[in-house]
Amino acid sequence: MTSEVIIDAGQKEISIALLEDKRLVEYQKEPREASFSVGNIYLAKVKKLMPGLNACFVDVGYERDAFLHYLDLGNQFNSYAKYLKQVKSDRKRLYPITKASRLPNLPKDGSVQHTLSLGQEVLVQIVKEPISTKGPRLTGELSLAGRYLVLIPFDDKVSVSSKIRSSAERARLKQLIQSITPKNFGVIVRTVAEGKRVAELDAEMKVLLKRWDDLITKVQKAQEMPQLVFEETGRAVAMMRDLFNPTYEHIHVNDAEICKAIKHYVSLIAPEKADIVKLYEGKVPIFDAFDVTKQLKSGFGKTVNYKHGAYMIIEHTEAMHVVDVNSGTRTKKDNGQEQNALETNLGAADELARQLRLRDMGGIIVVDFIDMNLAEDRQLLYERMCENMKNDRARHNILPLSKFGLMQITRQRVRPAVDVNVEEECPTCFGTGKIKSSILFTDQLERKIDTLVNKIGVRKFYLHVHPYVAAYINQGFMSLKRKWQLNYGFGVHVVPSQKLAMLQYEFYDAQRQFIDMKEENDNH
């Protein structure tokens, strides 16, 4: 199986698509200005104590206060609190963590009102982004994640991933990491560290320790609360850190700055793979060029079609995700209803495993498969689902089919489920149901071009239109495009874009920055 990553960096948001054998399996998008990423560390103040919940609310600058439970403060909270006071007491000379004294662990049966006080400063890390009406979820156990290692301040243990089976390799890694870890730090060795050389692990340890030094220096100098003291690497680079594997053939990026950051990161962790990061400079939108747009349009929405006319309906309720499997127009096989149901269900299991990753669905998922009478068929379906979910990085649990033919799945939820709305309000009539005569559409475009060139003074620009409209503009020897170029200069470029509706258009300047040419009366 080959994998490639396509990154579309727009003005307002960054979208990342992971393709496996050219099929879209993961998709993430994040606003450029989003600041509440999992992994961010804040110096913040306790805003409200909730003894009944044994928890508190902390102001990290989000519209809803973040939630911190007593049990999430971490065993070493007392040591953190003392060290925080020592760091804040001297703004000129930084008190090193290696000299800090360790205090007894926080008791598990303690209470929040005896541990924290209103207005107290705490160092906290986001473990769950704001979802729906809930604010971010916090922890007091800080960790700095790298590709091979996770650094944990005020811990003293070196733990090795249980997925590394070889006892000799586990012992080697443990001994090696213990020899390079400074006092008052603990480390978790990740699965991908298996077989790695001392130099690679030592280099990453130095990078993580530098991050800690930068973080604690910001804490020392912080004047206002809340203060972001450590920002998780950009979404694109963070995804590379978690997803990167040797089967990647290409990483295509349409933004020079992000391309440079990813190339730098890949060259650090896998120097031999640095050349797979390529800057996309084609005129067609990057997602169109790699067939991502079409897969997004067909992969999201309430109804998802898969093999031979069968389809599934995916609904998101407040409590859970509900999936209904239907055979649809699938033709019945000669070998009976049972075989037909089994094949439809197995196809649904394949598609559902992809949909869970694609939409990043979390929480409880209940699937209503087509009823099957044979116990061996139900077992086969359960095993197929388990096998399909092996590639899923999120923690999950799958139960065999109940006697009602329902399968229950729980899947770790860290971010809100991705939802691409494929049924949009008409961008041409803006919901009024009335549009200008379509025969006049190209006249309207020409007026916009005239305004852009002669009034605003933009000589070179890109006009994005639906592929059918682009074909019409480009057709013939003396095409519309050619006439426009003769009248307004050869800086006029027409680009087909699959994401646009039939009579929708967008203008971009030479630097690919969006130019808003909409008018109040466009739809009248």
Side-chain angles (χ1 to χ4, degrees), residues 421 423-432:
N421 190 3
E423 295 175 350
E424 303 164 356
E425 181 185 88
C426 172
T428 313
C429 73
F430 305 98
T432 63

Side-chain angles (χ1 to χ4, degrees), residues 365-435:
I365 299 116
V366 176
V367 192
D368 181 13
F369 285 104
I370 297 171
D371 290 343
M372 296 184 294
N373 297 321
L374 299 177
E376 56 263 37
D377 286 351
R378 292 196 292 272
Q379 180 63 23
L380 188 65
L381 176 60
Y382 169 67
E383 289 171 2
R384 178 75 156 258
M385 196 71 211
C386 293
E387 182 64 31
N388 289 339
M389 294 285 282
K390 277 185 179 175
N391 289 333
D392 198 330
R393 291 175 298 117
R395 286 198 306 272
H396 58 269
N397 192 19
I398 306 170
L399 296 182
L401 270 72
S402 71
K403 58 181 172 183
F404 297 128
L406 302 177
M407 179 180 284
Q408 298 164 70
I409 303 170
T410 59
R411 188 174 181 275
Q412 178 189 22
R413 176 164 54 194
V414 175
R415 291 183 187 85
V418 175
D419 185 30
V420 175
N421 190 3
V422 292
E423 295 175 350
E424 303 164 356
E425 181 185 88
C426 172
T428 313
C429 73
F430 305 98
T432 63
K434 294 180 181 178
I435 61 171

Side-chain angles (χ1 to χ4, degrees), residues 49 53 114 128 135 143 164-165 170 179 223 227 280 429:
L49 294 174
L53 295 173
H114 295 137
K128 262 191 186 179
S143 60
I164 298 177
R165 304 283 181 181
R170 291 172 66 85
S179 67
Q223 301 282 353
Q227 178 83 38
Y280 175 79
C429 73

Side-chain angles (χ1 to χ4, degrees), residues 79 106 391 481:
S79 304
L106 204 65
N391 289 333
K481 178 185 169 185

Side-chain angles (χ1 to χ4, degrees), residues 275-314:
D275 291 340
I276 70 170
V277 184
K278 296 184 176 76
L279 179 64
Y280 175 79
E281 296 179 294
K283 289 182 180 177
V284 176
I286 187 169
F287 273 8
D288 289 8
F290 292 96
D291 199 33
V292 175
T293 308
K294 188 176 178 183
Q295 293 192 57
L296 280 174
K297 298 270 187 187
S298 61
F300 284 87
K302 182 176 169 182
T303 304
V304 178
N305 295 296
Y306 61 101
K307 293 177 184 174
H308 311 301
Y311 65 96
M312 62 175 76
I313 294 173
I314 302 174

Side-chain angles (χ1 to χ4, degrees), residues 257-290:
E257 198 175 312
I258 292 175
C259 182
K260 187 178 175 184
I262 291 175
K263 195 158 196 164
H264 174 69
Y265 180 73
V266 173
S267 64
L268 284 176
I269 60 169
E272 73 284 357
K273 283 281 184 179
D275 291 340
I276 70 170
V277 184
K278 296 184 176 76
L279 179 64
Y280 175 79
E281 296 179 294
K283 289 182 180 177
V284 176
I286 187 169
F287 273 8
D288 289 8
F290 292 96

